Structures are given as structure tokens and as C-alpha cells.
Amino acid sequence: MTQARLFAVLLTCVSATSFAAGPDLETTAQKSGFKRTGHYNEVIRLCADFAKAYPDAVRCFEFGKSPQGRPMMALAVSRSGALSATAAHERDLPVMLVQGGIHAGEIDGKDAGFLALREALDGRAAKGSLDKQVIVFVPVFNVDGHERFKAWNRPNQRGPEEMGWRTTAQNLNLNRDYMKADAPEMQAMLALMNEWDPLVLADLHVTDGAKFEHDISINIEPLYSGDGELRKAGLALRTDLVGMLARQGSLPLPFYPSFVVYDDPASGFEDNSAAPRFSHGYMPLRNRFGVLVETHSWKDYPTRVQGTRNTIVDLLELVAAHGKQWLTLADAADQRATQLGGSSLPLSYKATDKSRIVEFRGYAYTRTPSEISGTLMTRYDESKPAIWKIPLRDDVQPDIRVDAPKGGYIVPSAHAEWVGAKLALHGIAYRTIASAQSSASVQTFRASKTKFDANPFENHQRVGFEGEWKDEPMDIAAGALFVPISQPRARLVVALLEPKAPDSLAAWGEFNAAFEQKEYMEMYVAEEVARDMLEQDPAVAAEFNRKLDSDPEFARDPFARLAFFARRHESWDDRFNLYPVMRSAKAF
């Protein structure tokens, strides 16, 4: 579609109500021919004006406050008469949460969302779909970042002329925060999700990366992860949505187009299942659908807004057609989740080495040495479309697995307050253990090895663990929390509390103090202790000599040699490298 034709289509979309009496519902994007986008005060105004223009079908409400004090606004939209979460649930209506501006420089979703909803409300798009569902539209999630507003905030993106910033005022990336929920904005969003329980979350983004002809990509979960029956529905949803976009003139992709080797098209692509720090990786843990929409950053703003608008309209139609069936599937998945105790669950996923060759619509390119960077650099010629025949690795399989506890997890009283607050943010059920218990039959996780990241990430020092759960009697103080595995959000419980899970509280460094040695034995003391052990315990002496012979690195390290004896002394801290959370085969 030519740019002139695209402008005509977009202007036609709004012309029917442009001169109608009542509030002005046009965005800055529409008024500028999709060259500019408005500031956040426009969102506040439009939210109120949509409710005035469609009083029976739109409710404007605030669901949170940003760190800089801005209201976080949402619109509930439906022709069913249900404009509250309670009414939607009472009428058994599917709810779709449409989320724009989580990365506020990628702002297509805001302008496309207002456009799509006007058309749907006026019956000019997705006719009748609003009778069968409720839309909760958040035009801008990252409201403070949206107002860090200037040109070149997105150097790898064409338009609009100015835009917001990727991260929040606290420099947090909200699309890495779904599990740890540090940001006040994320805490408000999770509360909104707990209230409305959206069946579908559509998260609207713009890519970074290479130059090619494809204009939009669709990633959906459950597809590789989550409940088995929901994965089947997720595949059908992706197939239907990609097909609808293609018929509307897009060149959609059913995977995120990121090269296996950075900046090298010949390396091909690798599909994956997103970790739950991301929106569409988080939703399957709640037994709901996450749809990641990524328009291509090198397409101009009118093209991207049109593609995002089409996606929202298509999702409206799909939810109207299949929402009741999906609600039934989701309810059944919730019930199955209550039975996951004792079963083997994936914690992470990865693509295997199996690949297939795909024909990908790119551009002619060269890879030549750069006198600037001193490395090979890819240069694309957008005047010369080309078909790339490149490998796609899309056989995504579970990677790390764990056997879920049969009963649940026990959070010691020392950590109960803050862990309980995190669990509540996610709508996870737990209860307080009222009385102390001695030598309770539980499992503990003692890390045999820890690896702390060298650099901070999202204000945390992440850590990886080696080790296994083992039976060990432990005292449990009153005030500890019991988190049962038998609940609809069992997958979310496991993802938060299993230390090896990629976005667990432990992996994000929330328990790092447990893996720091706090008491030490002086080297000269350890030397004396070692001599006594070697003289008094032949088994220790034999084990020490075997390790000297078999482990050259150990033999060269004086600290490791002395630590061998310190760990076997009565003074050794038996809580060092002990993950504070325990598991139980029974309920408490």
C-alpha cells in the first residue's frame, strides 16, 4: 500500500465522526497526518471525552499513580452494559486488556488503540464484537517515560517526530518486571489484572533490529509453555491472527525476527518461549493468553499505526467469536493447575538445533569491514527487495524442569512480610502458620554452587544456582507462610519460588544474603583445625588427599584447601547457601 493510499485509509477511518457534535476525539497523530503523537495530557483528555461521547459504552478510570504523580488511566469499553470487573464476571464476558506504551517510545498502540475503539464503537469495525466482550484499554502504561519526550529517543525507528522514553522515571524496564514487580506502575497493573482477570493481554510494541519487508510479528503464549489445552488454542489464535493480518495487506511473521548471531542475516532466526519477566511469558502462568504485537521499527508511523489498529480490530473479532470457548478452556486449565503437585514442570524453554529453511522477505545487503567499528557491518539496500533463504529454529522444548512439591512451599517468618506482599501482588493464595513446629518433615535446597552476575540488571544482582532439593527436618517458627501448590496459579507459584526458575525471587537476587558468607575462620586457625582433623580422622585425611590428586585447581588454591576443613568444623555456618524457602509434601 502506498503512503498516500495509507493516509487516505486512516483519514477515512476517522472522517465519519470528525465533524460530529460533541467532544473532539481525534488524536494529535490523526490531526498531523500521523507525523506526531500527543503528550500524556491528551490521553487524560481523550479518556474523559470518550466516556462523554459514549456514556453507555465507555468508562474512564484511574488505576494507579506513577512515581512522578501522574494518573495511570484506562478505558473500559463494551456495548454489553458491563463496564466494571464485577459486571463482566457476573455476565461471564471475556475481558481483553489492550496495553500500549509499556515502552513509551514505541507508542503505536496508544494512537492505534484510540482509532480502533472509535471505529468499533461507531460500528465501522469489528461490528457487534463489543456486545460480546469488555475491553480494558491502557493507552500508556509507562506514563512517566512517555513525558521524557523528544526526537531521537528511538534512533532505530522511523517516526513519530518525537516520542517518549523506553524506561520509567526510576529507569526500570516494565517489560522485565512482571515477576519481581518492583515498579509502582507494575504493582498497579497487576492489581488491575487481579481485578479484571483478562482472558487475553495484547501488549503493543515496536521492534528493534534489522531492515526487511515484513511489517509486523505476532508472538502468543500459551503456545510452547503453559497448559496443554491452552497451547492448542494459542496456536489456533496465532494462525488466525496472522492470516487476518495477511489478508489486510500486512506481511506478518509468527515469530520475533531476531538473528541468532547479532547483525548477521545468514545466521537465521530462533524462536523461543519468553521468560515470565515479559508480558506474554507471564500470562500462561495465570492460564491466560498473552499476545505480543511488534510492528517493524523501520516502517513509517502511518504504516505501523495501521498495522496495530488492524491487529486490535482482528483481536476484537477473534475474542467475540471464540471468547466463550476460551473462557471454558481457561477455567478447565485453572482446575488442572490445582492438581500439579508432584508433577514434572518446565521452568524454562529453548529452541533445539533442529532447523528448517524459510523464505524471508528482506533486502539486498552487504557485510563488509567497517573502518569505524573495526568489525563486519551489515548495510541494507531498501531499494532492492530480496528473498533470504535462511534457517529458522522453531522446535522449542522444555529446558530446565523440576518436580513440583506435593504440598507447597514454606516461607520462614523472617521473610514472610515481604514475600507475602509479592505473592499478594500476583493474586497467589497463602496462609500463615500459627504455631511453631519442631523438626518438620520438609525439603531444603542447599546451593552447591552460586554464580552472581558481574553487572546489575534492572536494579538487581541476579544469581544462578546449582543444587537439589533434599529431605531435611527443620524447625518452623510461628508466622511462617504456607503457599499451597493446589491453586489455579500453581505455575506462577513454582516460577516465583523455585530457585532455578529464570525469574524466581531467588534468581532476581532477593535472597542473596543467604548466599553470602558472614562468619570466617582465620587462616592460621584453619591451619590448626586442619592438622587436628588430619591426625584424628583418617577418612577426612583420605578424602583430602584424593581431592589434591584429582583436582589441580583445588590443589593450587590455598583458600579452597583450608575451606575443605573449615566446612567440616562445628563452627561452620549451616545456613550458608541454604535457600530460606522450604518445600513440603503435605499441607500446613
Side-chain angles (χ1 to χ4, degrees):
M1 183 180 291
T2 65
Q3 189 176 61
R5 173 62 180 152
L6 184 60
F7 276 124
V9 170
L10 289 171
L11 291 173
T12 299
C13 290
V14 300
S15 62
T17 55
S18 294
F19 303 103
D24 177 8
L25 301 182
E26 284 197 353
T27 62
T28 296
Q30 293 161 4
K31 293 175 180 178
S32 67
F34 296 89
K35 294 179 181 178
R36 298 189 300 278
T37 191
H39 281 267
Y40 190 63
N41 58 4
E42 179 176 81
V43 170
I44 298 173
R45 177 185 65 78
L46 284 171
C47 186
D49 285 351
F50 264 70
K52 291 176 185 176
Y54 308 99
D56 298 328
V58 178
R59 180 170 69 91
C60 172
F61 63 98
E62 179 181 330
F63 68 95
K65 273 280 195 300
S66 75
Q68 291 184 333
R70 293 184 176 88
M72 299 176 68
M73 306 306 298
L75 293 81
V77 182
S78 181
R79 288 291 187 189
S80 70
L83 295 178
S84 69
T86 299
H89 298 155
E90 287 176 349
R91 301 184 191 191
D92 201 27
L93 287 170
V95 176
M96 179 165 66
L97 174 58
V98 178
Q99 177 179 282
I102 190 171
H103 296 151
E106 306 167 22
I107 204 56
D108 308 16
K110 175 190 70 174
D111 291 322
F114 280 121
L115 177 59
L117 289 180
R118 279 186 73 189
E119 294 180 279
L121 285 162
D122 291 339
R124 293 180 289 112
K127 192 170 183 178
S129 65
L130 290 177
D131 298 332
K132 301 176 181 179
Q133 64 191 297
V134 182
I135 305 304
V136 178
F137 176 43
V138 176
V140 181
F141 185 1
N142 175 15
V143 298
D144 290 343
H146 188 280
E147 293 308 281
R148 188 177 168 182
F149 200 83
K150 67 181 182 68
W152 293 106
N153 272 348
R154 290 276 293 163
N156 309 311
Q157 177 177 300
R158 288 180 176 142
E161 292 176 356
E162 296 180 302
M163 71 287 289
W165 187 252
R166 181 177 184 84
T167 56
T168 70
Q170 297 174 332
N171 208 32
L172 295 175
N173 185 337
L174 291 174
N175 206 29
R176 307 294 183 272
D177 198 37
Y178 276 87
M179 292 290 279
K180 57 187 178 64
D182 288 337
E185 297 95 330
M186 182 57 72
Q187 293 168 15
M189 179 59 73
L190 291 176
L192 182 76
M193 293 173 68
N194 289 337
E195 179 185 6
W196 286 89
D197 190 18
L199 177 66
V200 177
L201 166 61
D203 191 11
L204 309 175
H205 288 252
V206 183
T207 66
D208 289 295
K211 293 182 178 180
F212 42 74
E213 288 194 292
H214 296 278
D215 56 347
I216 194 167
S217 70
I218 302 295
N219 286 67
I220 291 176
E221 291 292 349
L223 190 146
Y224 299 122
S225 68
D227 179 82
E229 293 302 311
L230 289 182
R231 291 201 301 269
K232 297 175 186 177
L235 176 59
L237 170 56
R238 186 183 72 174
T239 301
D240 288 344
L241 182 55
V242 168
M244 294 170 79
L245 287 168
R247 289 190 292 275
Q248 290 164 313
S250 280
L251 294 173
L253 292 168
F255 58 88
Y256 187 88
S258 179
F259 296 136
V260 172
V261 177
Y262 178 73
D263 197 42
D264 184 1
S267 68
F269 301 109
E270 178 182 285
D271 204 0
N272 62 46
S273 178
R277 72 189 67 167
F278 300 98
S279 63
H280 65 302
Y282 176 73
M283 291 303 285
L285 300 181
R286 298 175 73 112
N287 301 318
R288 305 295 185 264
F289 298 97
V291 182
L292 174 68
V293 181
E294 295 269 3
T295 55
H296 187 219
S297 62
W298 293 111
K299 299 298 182 284
D300 60 32
Y301 197 51
T303 301
R304 299 202 318 270
V305 171
Q306 181 69 31
T308 306
R309 172 265 175 206
N310 289 348
T311 305
I312 296 169
V313 169
D314 294 345
L315 285 169
L316 283 169
E317 294 180 349
L318 288 167
V319 172
H322 304 289
K324 290 287 189 180
Q325 175 193 357
W326 294 344
L327 278 176
T328 300
L329 289 174
D331 288 344
D334 285 348
Q335 182 57 41
R336 284 190 292 273
T338 67
Q339 307 301 313
L340 289 175
S343 63
S344 176
L345 293 178
L347 298 178
S348 62
Y349 299 80
K350 67 177 182 180
T352 68
D353 292 334
K354 187 187 300 183
S355 67
R356 57 190 177 93
I357 300 298
V358 296
E359 293 189 350
F360 188 88
R361 292 181 60 162
Y363 296 111
Y365 68 90
T366 59
R367 280 179 57 78
T368 55
S370 167
E371 69 279 10
I372 304 297
S373 64
T375 190
L376 284 176
M377 192 63 61
T378 304
R379 296 172 176 85
Y380 299 94
D381 185 348
E382 293 179 82
S383 69
K384 296 179 180 178
I387 300 297
W388 300 345
K389 294 183 178 181
I390 53 178
L392 170 64
R393 293 166 53 192
D394 60 354
D395 178 37
V396 178
Q397 299 293 335
D399 183 18
I400 300 173
R401 304 187 71 102
V402 68
D403 290 337
K406 293 181 179 179
Y409 295 87
I410 300 166
V411 180
S413 57
H415 296 277
E417 183 176 0
W418 74 265
V419 174
K422 292 284 187 184
L423 297 174
L425 284 171
H426 293 282
I428 290 171
Y430 63 89
R431 55 183 176 268
T432 301
I433 298 174
S435 56
Q437 301 195 29
S438 300
S439 299
S441 297
V442 298
Q443 287 187 320
T444 60
F445 181 95
R446 293 182 180 272
S448 57
K449 185 177 182 181
T450 56
K451 184 177 182 181
F452 293 89
D453 284 0
N455 296 311
F457 178 60
E458 291 299 311
N459 209 32
H460 288 257
Q461 185 183 24
R462 286 177 54 82
V463 58
F465 304 95
E466 294 180 14
E468 302 297 335
W469 292 98
K470 295 181 179 179
D471 293 335
E472 182 177 3
M474 297 290 285
D475 293 339
I476 299 173
L481 305 181
F482 178 68
V483 188
I485 197 70
S486 181
Q487 58 178 300
R489 293 180 186 167
R491 285 187 173 83
L492 189 48
V493 171
V494 170
L496 280 167
L497 297 180
E498 281 293 330
K500 291 184 179 179
D503 285 318
S504 67
L505 297 177
W508 277 106
E510 299 283 13
F511 292 100
N512 277 1
F515 306 100
E516 301 168 10
Q517 189 172 353
K518 301 296 187 178
E519 188 62 83
Y520 298 85
M521 182 180 287
E522 296 287 358
M523 292 185 71
Y524 67 87
V525 176
E527 186 88 17
E528 295 174 3
V529 166
R531 294 185 187 281
D532 289 343
M533 285 187 179
L534 289 171
E535 291 176 3
Q536 298 171 13
D537 193 330
V540 169
E543 185 180 352
F544 179 66
N545 289 325
R546 281 196 302 271
K547 195 162 182 64
L548 286 175
D549 293 338
S550 63
D551 189 342
E553 185 176 346
F554 172 81
R556 290 191 299 268
D557 187 342
F559 295 100
R561 290 170 66 152
L562 289 174
F564 175 92
F565 299 98
R567 289 175 182 273
R568 289 159 174 78
H569 192 262
E570 290 182 359
S571 66
W572 182 253
D573 178 9
D574 64 356
R575 295 186 185 181
F576 176 49
N577 280 339
L578 173 65
Y579 176 45
V581 176
M582 297 162 278
R583 304 190 343 166
S584 172
K586 66 175 185 177
F588 276 80

Short mmCIF file of all heavy atoms in Angstrom, two decimals, residues 514-551:
data_model
loop_
_atom_site.label_atom_id
_atom_site.label_comp_id
_atom_site.label_asym_id
_atom_site.label_seq_id
_atom_site.Cartn_x
_atom_site.Cartn_y
_atom_site.Cartn_z
N ALA A 514 21.46 -14.86 51.85
CA ALA A 514 21.59 -16.25 52.29
C ALA A 514 22.79 -16.93 51.64
O ALA A 514 23.23 -17.99 52.13
CB ALA A 514 20.31 -17.02 51.96
N PHE A 515 23.31 -16.35 50.58
CA PHE A 515 24.41 -16.97 49.84
C PHE A 515 25.70 -16.17 49.98
O PHE A 515 26.61 -16.29 49.16
CB PHE A 515 24.00 -17.13 48.37
CG PHE A 515 22.69 -17.87 48.22
CD1 PHE A 515 21.51 -17.18 48.00
CD2 PHE A 515 22.64 -19.25 48.37
CE1 PHE A 515 20.30 -17.85 47.91
CE2 PHE A 515 21.43 -19.93 48.28
CZ PHE A 515 20.25 -19.23 48.05
N GLU A 516 25.75 -15.37 51.03
CA GLU A 516 26.95 -14.61 51.37
C GLU A 516 27.52 -15.16 52.67
O GLU A 516 26.78 -15.29 53.66
CB GLU A 516 26.62 -13.12 51.55
CG GLU A 516 26.01 -12.47 50.32
CD GLU A 516 25.45 -11.09 50.64
OE1 GLU A 516 25.70 -10.58 51.76
OE2 GLU A 516 24.73 -10.53 49.79
N GLN A 517 28.80 -15.45 52.69
CA GLN A 517 29.41 -15.98 53.92
C GLN A 517 29.61 -14.83 54.90
O GLN A 517 30.26 -13.83 54.58
CB GLN A 517 30.74 -16.66 53.61
CG GLN A 517 31.31 -17.41 54.80
CD GLN A 517 32.52 -18.26 54.44
OE1 GLN A 517 32.86 -18.39 53.27
NE2 GLN A 517 33.17 -18.82 55.44
N LYS A 518 29.09 -14.96 56.10
CA LYS A 518 29.09 -13.87 57.07
C LYS A 518 30.09 -14.06 58.21
O LYS A 518 30.43 -13.11 58.91
CB LYS A 518 27.69 -13.71 57.67
CG LYS A 518 26.59 -13.43 56.65
CD LYS A 518 26.78 -12.10 55.94
CE LYS A 518 25.60 -11.77 55.05
NZ LYS A 518 25.73 -10.47 54.38
N GLU A 519 30.52 -15.30 58.44
CA GLU A 519 31.49 -15.57 59.51
C GLU A 519 32.63 -16.38 58.93
O GLU A 519 32.42 -17.23 58.05
CB GLU A 519 30.80 -16.34 60.65
CG GLU A 519 31.66 -16.51 61.89
CD GLU A 519 32.04 -15.18 62.53
OE1 GLU A 519 31.24 -14.62 63.28
OE2 GLU A 519 33.18 -14.71 62.24
N TYR A 520 33.84 -16.10 59.39
CA TYR A 520 35.03 -16.71 58.80
C TYR A 520 35.94 -17.27 59.88
O TYR A 520 35.94 -16.83 61.03
CB TYR A 520 35.81 -15.67 57.98
CG TYR A 520 35.05 -15.10 56.82
CD1 TYR A 520 34.19 -14.02 57.00
CD2 TYR A 520 35.18 -15.64 55.55
CE1 TYR A 520 33.47 -13.50 55.94
CE2 TYR A 520 34.48 -15.12 54.48
CZ TYR A 520 33.62 -14.05 54.69
OH TYR A 520 32.92 -13.54 53.63
N MET A 521 36.75 -18.22 59.47
CA MET A 521 37.80 -18.77 60.31
C MET A 521 39.13 -18.22 59.79
O MET A 521 39.43 -18.33 58.60
CB MET A 521 37.79 -20.30 60.23
CG MET A 521 38.82 -20.98 61.10
SD MET A 521 38.74 -22.81 60.94
CE MET A 521 37.23 -23.16 61.85
N GLU A 522 39.89 -17.57 60.66
CA GLU A 522 41.20 -17.04 60.24
C GLU A 522 42.08 -18.18 59.69
O GLU A 522 41.96 -19.33 60.13
CB GLU A 522 41.90 -16.37 61.42
CG GLU A 522 41.20 -15.15 61.98
CD GLU A 522 41.32 -13.93 61.08
OE1 GLU A 522 41.99 -14.02 60.03
OE2 GLU A 522 40.72 -12.89 61.41
N MET A 523 42.95 -17.83 58.76
CA MET A 523 43.73 -18.86 58.09
C MET A 523 44.62 -19.62 59.08
O MET A 523 44.75 -20.85 58.97
CB MET A 523 44.57 -18.25 56.98
CG MET A 523 43.74 -17.73 55.80
SD MET A 523 44.73 -17.13 54.41
CE MET A 523 45.38 -18.68 53.77
N TYR A 524 45.18 -18.93 60.05
CA TYR A 524 46.07 -19.63 60.99
C TYR A 524 45.26 -20.57 61.89
O TYR A 524 45.74 -21.62 62.31
CB TYR A 524 46.91 -18.64 61.81
CG TYR A 524 46.15 -17.78 62.78
CD1 TYR A 524 45.88 -18.23 64.08
CD2 TYR A 524 45.72 -16.51 62.43
CE1 TYR A 524 45.19 -17.44 64.98
CE2 TYR A 524 45.02 -15.71 63.31
CZ TYR A 524 44.76 -16.17 64.59
OH TYR A 524 44.08 -15.38 65.48
N VAL A 525 43.99 -20.16 62.16
CA VAL A 525 43.12 -21.04 62.94
C VAL A 525 42.74 -22.26 62.10
O VAL A 525 42.74 -23.41 62.58
CB VAL A 525 41.87 -20.29 63.41
CG1 VAL A 525 40.91 -21.25 64.13
CG2 VAL A 525 42.25 -19.13 64.33
N ALA A 526 42.38 -22.01 60.83
CA ALA A 526 42.03 -23.11 59.94
C ALA A 526 43.19 -24.09 59.77
O ALA A 526 42.98 -25.30 59.65
CB ALA A 526 41.60 -22.56 58.58
N GLU A 527 44.39 -23.54 59.79
CA GLU A 527 45.57 -24.40 59.66
C GLU A 527 45.65 -25.37 60.85
O GLU A 527 45.92 -26.57 60.69
CB GLU A 527 46.82 -23.54 59.59
CG GLU A 527 48.10 -24.29 59.32
CD GLU A 527 48.38 -24.46 57.85
OE1 GLU A 527 47.77 -23.75 57.03
OE2 GLU A 527 49.21 -25.34 57.51
N GLU A 528 45.42 -24.85 62.05
CA GLU A 528 45.45 -25.71 63.24
C GLU A 528 44.32 -26.74 63.21
O GLU A 528 44.52 -27.91 63.54
CB GLU A 528 45.33 -24.84 64.50
CG GLU A 528 46.52 -23.91 64.72
CD GLU A 528 46.30 -22.96 65.89
OE1 GLU A 528 45.24 -23.10 66.56
OE2 GLU A 528 47.15 -22.09 66.12
N VAL A 529 43.13 -26.28 62.81
CA VAL A 529 41.99 -27.18 62.72
C VAL A 529 42.27 -28.30 61.73
O VAL A 529 41.98 -29.48 61.96
CB VAL A 529 40.71 -26.40 62.32
CG1 VAL A 529 39.59 -27.33 61.88
CG2 VAL A 529 40.26 -25.51 63.48
N ALA A 530 42.88 -27.94 60.59
CA ALA A 530 43.19 -28.92 59.56
C ALA A 530 44.15 -29.99 60.08
O ALA A 530 43.97 -31.19 59.83
CB ALA A 530 43.78 -28.22 58.33
N ARG A 531 45.18 -29.56 60.78
CA ARG A 531 46.15 -30.53 61.30
C ARG A 531 45.49 -31.49 62.29
O ARG A 531 45.75 -32.70 62.27
CB ARG A 531 47.32 -29.80 61.96
CG ARG A 531 48.16 -29.00 60.96
CD ARG A 531 49.39 -28.40 61.61
NE ARG A 531 50.07 -27.51 60.70
CZ ARG A 531 50.87 -27.93 59.71
NH1 ARG A 531 51.08 -29.22 59.53
NH2 ARG A 531 51.46 -27.04 58.92
N ASP A 532 44.64 -30.94 63.15
CA ASP A 532 43.93 -31.80 64.10
C ASP A 532 43.05 -32.81 63.38
O ASP A 532 43.02 -34.00 63.74
CB ASP A 532 43.07 -30.96 65.05
CG ASP A 532 43.91 -30.16 66.04
OD1 ASP A 532 45.10 -30.50 66.21
OD2 ASP A 532 43.37 -29.20 66.62
N MET A 533 42.31 -32.38 62.33
CA MET A 533 41.42 -33.29 61.60
C MET A 533 42.21 -34.37 60.89
O MET A 533 41.82 -35.55 60.87
CB MET A 533 40.58 -32.50 60.57
CG MET A 533 39.44 -31.69 61.17
SD MET A 533 38.41 -30.99 59.86
CE MET A 533 37.17 -30.15 60.84
N LEU A 534 43.33 -33.98 60.29
CA LEU A 534 44.15 -34.96 59.57
C LEU A 534 44.68 -36.03 60.52
O LEU A 534 44.80 -37.22 60.15
CB LEU A 534 45.29 -34.26 58.85
CG LEU A 534 44.89 -33.41 57.63
CD1 LEU A 534 46.08 -32.59 57.13
CD2 LEU A 534 44.36 -34.31 56.50
N GLU A 535 45.02 -35.62 61.75
CA GLU A 535 45.56 -36.57 62.71
C GLU A 535 44.47 -37.46 63.31
O GLU A 535 44.68 -38.65 63.55
CB GLU A 535 46.27 -35.82 63.84
CG GLU A 535 47.56 -35.13 63.39
CD GLU A 535 48.18 -34.32 64.53
OE1 GLU A 535 47.63 -34.37 65.66
OE2 GLU A 535 49.21 -33.63 64.29
N GLN A 536 43.27 -36.88 63.51
CA GLN A 536 42.23 -37.57 64.27
C GLN A 536 41.21 -38.30 63.41
O GLN A 536 40.49 -39.17 63.92
CB GLN A 536 41.51 -36.56 65.18
CG GLN A 536 42.42 -35.92 66.21
CD GLN A 536 41.75 -34.77 66.95
OE1 GLN A 536 40.53 -34.60 66.87
NE2 GLN A 536 42.55 -33.98 67.67
N ASP A 537 41.13 -37.96 62.13
CA ASP A 537 40.07 -38.56 61.31
C ASP A 537 40.67 -39.08 60.00
O ASP A 537 40.84 -38.34 59.03
CB ASP A 537 39.00 -37.51 61.01
CG ASP A 537 37.72 -38.12 60.44
OD1 ASP A 537 37.83 -39.16 59.77
OD2 ASP A 537 36.63 -37.54 60.65
N PRO A 538 40.99 -40.37 59.92
CA PRO A 538 41.59 -40.94 58.71
C PRO A 538 40.71 -40.78 57.47
O PRO A 538 41.23 -40.61 56.36
CB PRO A 538 41.76 -42.42 59.07
CG PRO A 538 41.78 -42.46 60.56
CD PRO A 538 40.88 -41.36 61.01
N ALA A 539 39.39 -40.79 57.64
CA ALA A 539 38.51 -40.65 56.48
C ALA A 539 38.63 -39.26 55.87
O ALA A 539 38.66 -39.11 54.64
CB ALA A 539 37.06 -40.92 56.90
N VAL A 540 38.72 -38.24 56.72
CA VAL A 540 38.89 -36.87 56.22
C VAL A 540 40.24 -36.75 55.53
O VAL A 540 40.36 -36.14 54.46
CB VAL A 540 38.75 -35.85 57.36
CG1 VAL A 540 39.19 -34.47 56.90
CG2 VAL A 540 37.32 -35.82 57.87
N ALA A 541 41.26 -37.34 56.12
CA ALA A 541 42.60 -37.28 55.52
C ALA A 541 42.60 -37.94 54.15
O ALA A 541 43.18 -37.41 53.19
CB ALA A 541 43.61 -37.94 56.44
N ALA A 542 41.95 -39.09 54.03
CA ALA A 542 41.91 -39.79 52.75
C ALA A 542 41.16 -38.98 51.71
O ALA A 542 41.58 -38.88 50.54
CB ALA A 542 41.27 -41.16 52.93
N GLU A 543 40.05 -38.36 52.11
CA GLU A 543 39.26 -37.56 51.16
C GLU A 543 40.05 -36.34 50.71
O GLU A 543 40.03 -35.97 49.53
CB GLU A 543 37.94 -37.13 51.81
CG GLU A 543 37.01 -36.41 50.86
CD GLU A 543 35.71 -35.99 51.53
OE1 GLU A 543 35.47 -36.39 52.69
OE2 GLU A 543 34.95 -35.25 50.88
N PHE A 544 40.77 -35.70 51.63
CA PHE A 544 41.58 -34.53 51.29
C PHE A 544 42.68 -34.91 50.30
O PHE A 544 42.89 -34.20 49.29
CB PHE A 544 42.19 -33.96 52.58
CG PHE A 544 43.07 -32.76 52.36
CD1 PHE A 544 42.56 -31.57 51.90
CD2 PHE A 544 44.44 -32.85 52.61
CE1 PHE A 544 43.38 -30.46 51.72
CE2 PHE A 544 45.27 -31.75 52.43
CZ PHE A 544 44.74 -30.54 51.98
N ASN A 545 43.35 -36.02 50.53
CA ASN A 545 44.43 -36.43 49.62
C ASN A 545 43.89 -36.80 48.24
O ASN A 545 44.53 -36.51 47.22
CB ASN A 545 45.20 -37.61 50.23
CG ASN A 545 46.04 -37.17 51.42
OD1 ASN A 545 46.58 -36.06 51.43
ND2 ASN A 545 46.15 -38.03 52.43
N ARG A 546 42.72 -37.45 48.20
CA ARG A 546 42.12 -37.76 46.90
C ARG A 546 41.81 -36.49 46.12
O ARG A 546 42.02 -36.42 44.90
CB ARG A 546 40.84 -38.57 47.11
CG ARG A 546 41.06 -40.04 47.40
CD ARG A 546 39.78 -40.85 47.21
NE ARG A 546 38.69 -40.38 48.05
CZ ARG A 546 38.47 -40.82 49.29
NH1 ARG A 546 39.27 -41.74 49.84
NH2 ARG A 546 37.46 -40.35 50.01
N LYS A 547 41.31 -35.49 46.82
CA LYS A 547 40.96 -34.24 46.14
C LYS A 547 42.21 -33.52 45.65
O LYS A 547 42.21 -32.94 44.55
CB LYS A 547 40.14 -33.34 47.06
CG LYS A 547 39.43 -32.20 46.33
CD LYS A 547 38.32 -31.63 47.18
CE LYS A 547 37.58 -30.51 46.43
NZ LYS A 547 36.87 -31.00 45.23
N LEU A 548 43.28 -33.58 46.43
CA LEU A 548 44.54 -33.00 45.97
C LEU A 548 45.02 -33.66 44.68
O LEU A 548 45.51 -32.99 43.77
CB LEU A 548 45.61 -33.14 47.05
CG LEU A 548 45.52 -32.23 48.28
CD1 LEU A 548 46.61 -32.60 49.28
CD2 LEU A 548 45.67 -30.76 47.87
N ASP A 549 44.87 -34.97 44.61
CA ASP A 549 45.35 -35.71 43.45
C ASP A 549 44.45 -35.53 42.22
O ASP A 549 44.94 -35.53 41.09
CB ASP A 549 45.44 -37.21 43.77
CG ASP A 549 46.52 -37.51 44.82
OD1 ASP A 549 47.43 -36.67 44.96
OD2 ASP A 549 46.42 -38.56 45.49
N SER A 550 43.15 -35.37 42.44
CA SER A 550 42.20 -35.37 41.31
C SER A 550 41.79 -33.99 40.84
O SER A 550 41.23 -33.85 39.75
CB SER A 550 40.93 -36.16 41.70
OG SER A 550 40.27 -35.51 42.79
N ASP A 551 42.05 -32.96 41.63
CA ASP A 551 41.56 -31.62 41.30
C ASP A 551 42.72 -30.62 41.35
O ASP A 551 43.00 -30.02 42.40
CB ASP A 551 40.46 -31.22 42.31
CG ASP A 551 39.74 -29.93 41.92
OD1 ASP A 551 40.29 -29.17 41.09
OD2 ASP A 551 38.65 -29.68 42.46
#
